[in-house]
């Protein structure tokens, strides 16, 4: 067996393990990370997997979110994350870092090479473009599926549907898209922008596959979402936003008041330094 075969088999097994974490009623909970340090911290907190946030990752690289970051820079961070943790990694690749299905397939092959075993692929067109037509997005998902299958890795393809997030449709439109994307090869469906229990339940019942919702302040607790049958709960860029808010508050307090209260409660220097000194 060659080293390539060994790496493929490891990726195959890790992908299957990641699939198995998506259980309706016992959801996979993902505090999204954006760099090596945040990934290590998320793993150390007990997460069963690490998922990146495209927004947090872009901000850390000095770019805005919304398909403005190039594939190479984004996936270099994914590779760092995957090498730094022992749990499965899923990469938020926005709309695929590509203009066409062939480009999406190329991105997926690069994702696998980086060591991730899951992806989010969104159907939004940024810059006020609304959503991609269903058939066009289905082709992009099918290309991702084919690329992963060709590599021999059962990549978890999470089809993000932005109907609610962009105000472009309700339950019926979302379920129509979900059915098409599942038929194209998506393993799960991600519908950010909706946490109202009644609507979440309609989506759980109507989607043929595991449903991912994006939670945050004001959303039902994980236990309530679990009771509705949700299979995956993530928080998108919320952890990154909270971290950056702390930086801003601490800087303002120091510069304006000359005091240090915001800095209280930080992680112990030795513990953090030790955690980030461990080889992945």
């Amino acid at each position: 067996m060659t080293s390539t075969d060994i790496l493929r088999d490891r990726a195959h097994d890790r992908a299957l393990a990641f699939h198995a974490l998506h259980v309706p009623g016992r959801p996979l909970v993902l505090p999204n990370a954006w760099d090596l340090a945040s990934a290590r911290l998320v793993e150390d907190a007990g997460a069963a997997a690490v998922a990146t946030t495209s927004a947090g990752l872009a901000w850390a690289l000095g770019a805005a979110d919304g398909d403005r970051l190039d594939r190479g820079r984004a996936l270099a961070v994914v590779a760092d994350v995957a090498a730094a943790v022992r749990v499965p990694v899923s990469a938020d690749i926005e709309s695929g870092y590509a203009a066409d299905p062939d480009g999406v397939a190329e991105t997926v092959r690069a994702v696998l090479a980086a060591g991730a075993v899951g992806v989010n692929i969104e159907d939004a067109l940024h810059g006020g473009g609304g959503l991609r037509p269903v058939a066009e997005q289905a082709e992009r998902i099918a290309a991702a599926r084919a690329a992963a299958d060709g590599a021999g890795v059962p990549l978890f393809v999470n089809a993000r549907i932005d109907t609610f997030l962009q105000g472009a449709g309700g339950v019926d439109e979302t379920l129509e898209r979900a059915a098409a994307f599942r038929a194209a090869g998506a393993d799960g469906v991600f519908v950010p922008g909706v946490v109202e229990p009644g609507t979440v339940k309609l989506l759980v019942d109507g989607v043929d596959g595991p449903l991912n919702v994006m939670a945050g302040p004001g959303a039902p607790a994980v236990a309530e979402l679990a009771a509705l049958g949700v299979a995956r709960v993530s928080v998108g860029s919320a952890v990154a936003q909270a971290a950056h808010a702390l930086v801003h508050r601490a800087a303002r307090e120091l510069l304006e008041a000359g005091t240090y209260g915001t800095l209280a409660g930080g992680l112990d220097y030795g513990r953090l330094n030790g955690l980030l000194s461990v080889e992945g």
Side-chain angles (χ1 to χ4, degrees), residues 44 176 225:
D44 187 66
E176 176 189 353
L225 294 171

Side-chain angles (χ1 to χ4, degrees), residues 153-261:
V153 179
L155 180 78
F156 191 100
V157 177
N158 203 29
R160 175 172 145 175
I161 301 174
D162 279 3
T163 41
F164 283 91
L165 202 60
Q166 293 214 4
V171 171
D172 290 344
E173 292 83 358
T174 303
L175 293 180
E176 176 189 353
R177 285 178 170 265
F181 301 162
R182 283 280 286 151
D187 298 287
V189 171
F190 177 26
V191 186
V194 56
V195 292
E196 191 279 317
T199 306
V200 170
K201 181 59 175 170
L202 289 174
L203 293 173
V204 166
D205 291 344
V207 170
D208 176 24
L211 180 72
N212 177 187
V213 300
M214 186 168 70
V222 170
E224 186 175 349
L225 294 171
L228 295 170
V230 171
R232 176 166 163 173
V233 178
S234 52
V235 294
S237 61
V239 178
Q241 288 174 258
H244 293 314
L246 175 62
V247 172
H248 195 248
R249 287 197 304 273
R252 288 194 62 177
E253 180 190 0
L254 180 60
L255 294 169
E256 295 175 4
T259 54
Y260 324 103

Side-chain angles (χ1 to χ4, degrees), residues 10-22 88 117 153-155:
R10 287 178 180 171
H12 182 277
D13 292 346
R14 184 164 288 196
L16 289 180
F18 186 60
H19 275 261
L21 295 172
H22 295 76
V117 294
V153 179
L155 180 78

